[in-house]
Amino acid sequence: MVKRQLPNPAEIFELMQFRKPELDAKKRRLESALTIYDLRRIAKRRTPRAAFDYTDGAAEQELSMRRARQAFQDIEFHPSILRGAAEVDTSCEIFGGPSALPFGIAPTGFTRLMQTEGEIAGAGAAGAAGIPFSLSTLGTTSIEDVKAANPRGRNWFQLYVMRDREISYDLTRRAAAAGFDTLFFTVDTPVAGARLRDKRNGFSIPPALTVKTIVDAIPRPWWWYDFLTTPKLEFASLSSTGGTVGELLDAAMDPTISFDDLETIRGLFPGKIVIKGVQNVADARKLVDLGVDGIVLSNHGGRQLDRAPVPFRLLPEVVREVGKDTEIAIDTGIMSGADIVASIALGAKFTLIGRAYLYGLMAGGREGVDRAIWILADQIRRTMKLLGVASLAELGPQHVTQLTRLQPVR
Ligand SMILES: Cc1cc2nc3c(=O)[nH]c(=O)nc-3n(C[C@H](O)[C@H](O)[C@H](O)COP(=O)(O)O)c2cc1C
């Protein structure tokens, strides 16, 4: 029998803890986000459909993107016991410089479309967190303005080689002059992938006002207020001619780029040359033999060839083949700090986040990006502590098993 008594008012009083309400709506909104998926939900609510879908979507049936995220979930972590450290060291060296965390911000095109603070928010947040920021050739902020937003931090430039080569070469020289220390040469975009959501939404650049977009705007007045009261949304380094992002890409990109272009680019840029979009071992080996400074295993966040290999699945094999000879970074599908820890454990030196940062940007501008970085950093630290490692260097393949769901028929 449970012994009962009358409720004691003093005891009830002790239990009552009314916290001071957070009056800042943005702060309240962002603090309610505990995961990147939470930021995604907030972003979706606040961003017009065409802009959200441009960011959130991928190519064709979006199988690559879903598989990439699934692959990170299909792992098992193996913790070691009784080695706990009070603090963990999450810093690393990558492409000749430091990073406070094992991830950086990936290059993304048309970033101010998502939220008008765009690259300035990303570069500022990256600088404050001590991680690198990458600016896309298709960025909406100039090289020099990014440098001004992140004057002491590391800035990287992503290069698309365009039909008009001089435009690309000029951007490369400008990035070098502004002190950008690493160049990502993206090689997975001979033509644009089929972003079907953009087609279905009638999404164009600049965004067109149609009956559909106006109806969609009604519940999202703040996005439109921002959009209409800030400088015009346009590519910072490219004159756009209208159309979908895919059509613009196809018009601007040179599909005939080859390994020979590497030589020219190296001649223009004194910093590190890293090839982004590597998707098999043979190409990785060839690039190493050509003397590149690093590679990024990536399928462009599933936005190019749908059903391309999942980079995280490719990682162990590429590490085995060229890991001793070059620095390997990885992206596509990273939605949590645990995904980043798993990548490092399997031999990646670094990771990049695309959408994870953009969801933060859409959810709350600069503070939203700060929140995204904080969430990932917190998850990284906790995962490392639970695994019983005190530094990234202690992580190894013994900490992760990849569980098979889709495997090749041999
Ligand atoms: C909206 C958006 C725009 C992108 N634009 C570019 C780009 O201009 N250049 C590039 O090399 N990669 C671009 N990417 C690919 C990212 O650099 C990165 O490879 C990808 O986002 C990683 O996958 P994740 O979004 O799952 O993190 C873009 C990705 C997104 C989501």
Side-chain angles (χ1 to χ4, degrees):
M1 274 292 280
V2 177
K3 223 174 126 198
R4 295 197 184 274
Q5 60 183 32
L6 281 173
N8 177 349
E11 235 175 59
I12 296 171
F13 192 71
E14 237 174 63
L15 290 174
M16 287 199 295
Q17 295 184 14
F18 295 114
R19 265 189 284 157
K20 215 170 105 215
E22 177 55 68
L23 298 179
D24 181 337
K26 188 196 271 188
K27 213 163 162 219
R28 202 168 55 232
R29 191 165 76 232
L30 292 174
E31 281 177 2
S32 76
L34 304 179
T35 66
I36 299 297
Y37 284 99
D38 290 342
L39 285 176
R40 180 184 177 277
R41 266 192 297 279
I42 299 169
K44 187 171 184 179
R45 216 167 53 223
R46 299 184 59 81
T47 315
R49 182 178 182 141
F52 180 80
D53 275 353
Y54 163 66
T55 312
D56 188 60
E60 313 270 0
Q61 290 172 271
E62 308 190 350
L63 293 166
S64 274
M65 186 183 68
R66 279 201 294 279
R67 285 181 188 174
R69 287 184 180 169
Q70 189 65 52
F72 280 118
Q73 289 172 31
D74 290 352
I75 62 160
E76 194 170 67
F77 276 126
H78 305 289
S80 304
I81 55 159
L82 298 176
R83 299 155 167 255
E87 258 323 308
V88 289
D89 180 3
T90 58
S91 68
C92 62
E93 286 282 315
I94 182 71
F95 306 141
S99 178
L101 294 159
F103 68 90
I105 291 186
T108 59
F110 226 53
T111 312
R112 288 191 55 235
L113 168 77
M114 294 129 204
Q115 206 271 357
T116 52
E117 291 171 47
E119 287 91 354
I120 297 291
I131 65 173
F133 174 80
S134 317
L135 172 66
S136 161
T137 292
L138 301 179
T140 42
T141 304
S142 73
I143 290 170
E144 293 74 17
D145 287 350
V146 164
K147 174 69 185 175
N150 184 22
R152 279 174 295 280
R154 295 183 74 191
N155 293 302
W156 296 348
F157 186 70
Q158 177 265 324
L159 182 73
Y160 278 130
V161 172
M162 284 175 270
R163 287 175 201 268
D164 183 345
R165 300 276 162 121
E166 264 319 304
I167 298 181
S168 303
Y169 299 160
D170 184 49
L171 290 172
T172 308
R173 290 189 201 100
R174 266 172 66 193
F180 284 45
D181 66 66
T182 295
L183 188 86
F184 284 138
F185 179 17
T186 298
V187 293
D188 55 18
T189 317
V191 295
R195 322 262 171 88
L196 301 183
R197 291 201 218 180
D198 292 355
K199 285 225 186 296
R200 293 195 174 111
N201 289 331
F203 170 53
S204 62
I205 289 180
L209 276 181
T210 60
V211 173
K212 208 165 137 189
T213 47
I214 289 169
V215 170
D216 183 61
I218 294 167
R220 300 172 175 90
W222 290 113
W223 189 94
W224 286 96
Y225 174 74
D226 266 352
F227 180 71
L228 296 170
T229 57
T230 53
K232 190 170 168 228
L233 174 67
E234 54 192 0
F235 292 118
S237 312
L238 204 74
S239 52
S240 53
T241 48
T244 63
V245 173
E247 283 158 2
L248 281 170
L249 268 177
D250 284 343
M253 298 308 137
D254 188 338
T256 68
I257 53 164
S258 70
F259 283 94
D260 301 337
D261 287 278
L262 268 176
E263 197 57 35
T264 317
I265 292 163
R266 183 170 284 295
L268 299 169
F269 192 79
K272 303 287 180 190
I273 307 277
V274 176
I275 311 304
K276 177 171 179 283
V278 176
Q279 303 191 58
N280 67 51
V281 174
D283 283 346
R285 167 54 60 201
K286 180 154 186 191
L287 289 166
V288 168
D289 293 345
L290 287 169
V292 301
D293 299 301
I295 58 174
V296 185
L297 298 181
S298 167
N299 65 31
H300 211 112
R303 298 164 75 82
Q304 286 299 108
L305 175 66
D306 201 18
R307 308 183 218 199
V310 171
F312 181 60
R313 289 252 180 245
L314 208 55
L315 179 65
E317 198 186 348
V318 175
V319 168
R320 215 167 29 245
E321 294 297 324
V322 300
K324 283 198 188 62
D325 310 319
T326 197
E327 291 190 316
I328 301 168
I330 183 172
D331 76 18
T332 299
I334 291 173
M335 291 291 280
S336 109
D339 303 345
I340 294 171
V341 171
S343 301
I344 304 296
L346 292 184
K349 281 277 171 303
F350 204 62
T351 62
L352 296 171
I353 53 159
R355 295 185 187 82
Y357 131 72
L358 297 173
Y359 294 139
L361 179 66
M362 291 187 281
R366 163 68 195 267
E367 291 99 314
V369 183
D370 288 337
R371 183 71 183 174
I373 295 173
W374 183 86
I375 288 171
L376 293 172
D378 188 51
Q379 290 168 333
I380 289 171
R381 281 190 292 266
R382 189 168 49 255
T383 307
M384 287 173 69
K385 284 182 188 172
L386 287 169
L387 283 175
V389 300
S391 72
L392 296 173
E394 288 177 29
L395 284 167
Q398 72 277 15
H399 291 113
V400 176
T401 307
Q402 290 182 314
L403 309 170
T404 49
R405 192 178 287 237
L406 292 170
Q407 28 174 336
V409 179
R410 296 279 179 207

